[in-house]
Amino acid sequence: MDRLPIDREVQHLTLSEQTRSRIDREVAKYPADQKQSAVIASLTIVQREQGWISPAAERAVADYLGMPAIAVHEVVTFYNMFNTQPVGRFKLNVCTNLPCALSGGTSALKHLCDRLGVAPGETTADGLFTVQEAECLGACGDAPAMLVNDQRLCSFMGPERLDSLIEQLRDEAAKGESK
Ligand code: FES
């Protein structure tokens, strides 16, 4: 990943009372001496509230769970679902691992980028779409496969289906529908 906040001074961030209370509910699911087992749930809560995990948020979660900052950083940078920088309203992850690549995954990524005028990893100027490459989504038989906002799996994403997905998401955004 493209950042290493551990050796740098990171801005201090105080978790809100609401965030802490949500994290506390997750921590309570584990033995008292294993608070760090709630790290993924805690980061998910922070990301849902802030849209991404900043270096300051990493440090705040580490402090709150009594973990080394590097351990939280490793989790954040290992899982694709955690955003290490701000993303658009719709995060589009296109699988380009071998089974998908052999069935149009690479061209699906290119088509999406061309349609939206961005390179992989970039966000459209209107803040609606971020396009990223993804590792195997476990849907190799549905190649090319992609994921919208880490939750919605889309199958057989050839050019036509990609175009209609973009239109559908633009409609959703215009109507103010939730993610
Ligand atoms: S290789 Fe794309 S979903 Fe498995």
Side-chain angles (χ1 to χ4, degrees):
M1 283 286 167
D2 52 359
R3 66 173 194 185
L4 281 171
I6 305 309
D7 298 327
R8 291 189 208 150
E9 279 295 311
V10 294
Q11 211 180 341
H12 183 72
L13 177 138
T14 304
L15 298 173
S16 70
E17 197 179 318
Q18 189 180 44
T19 304
R20 282 186 274 118
S21 130
R22 284 185 178 141
I23 291 177
D24 287 346
R25 281 203 290 274
E26 297 301 324
V27 167
K29 296 174 183 171
Y30 301 97
D33 61 346
Q34 290 174 33
K35 285 169 79 173
Q36 63 192 45
S37 298
V39 65
I40 289 180
S42 303
L43 290 166
T44 302
I45 289 165
V46 170
Q47 178 162 289
R48 209 173 285 143
E49 293 174 353
Q50 301 185 8
W52 68 299
I53 307 292
S54 65
E58 264 181 26
R59 179 63 57 88
V61 168
D63 290 348
Y64 197 67
L65 297 179
M67 296 173 65
I70 184 67
V72 175
H73 182 67
E74 285 169 354
V75 173
V76 170
T77 53
F78 181 81
Y79 292 103
N80 228 1
M81 65 188 177
F82 292 124
N83 305 323
T84 55
Q85 53 192 344
V87 295
R89 173 163 181 175
F90 300 108
K91 184 169 106 177
L92 310 177
N93 278 58
V94 182
C95 175
T96 53
N97 275 187
L98 190 58
C100 277
L102 292 174
S103 299
T106 311
S107 51
L109 177 68
K110 182 175 183 329
H111 181 84
L112 206 47
C113 287
D114 289 349
R115 266 298 305 267
L116 297 173
V118 294
E122 290 182 350
T123 299
T124 53
D126 59 8
L128 269 189
F129 300 102
T130 299
V131 181
Q132 296 180 340
E133 278 190 81
E135 303 298 326
C136 180
L137 301 171
C140 318
D142 291 0
M146 66 177 289
L147 204 55
V148 179
N149 285 344
D150 302 313
Q151 291 184 333
R152 176 174 162 190
L153 182 67
C154 302
S155 303
F156 309 114
M157 297 309 286
E160 283 176 20
R161 290 172 74 96
L162 285 169
D163 290 347
S164 72
L165 175 69
I166 291 170
E167 290 318 308
Q168 187 191 335
L169 295 177
R170 282 200 170 119
D171 277 356
E172 285 179 24
K175 290 177 190 155
E177 290 175 12
S178 58
K179 290 183 184 180

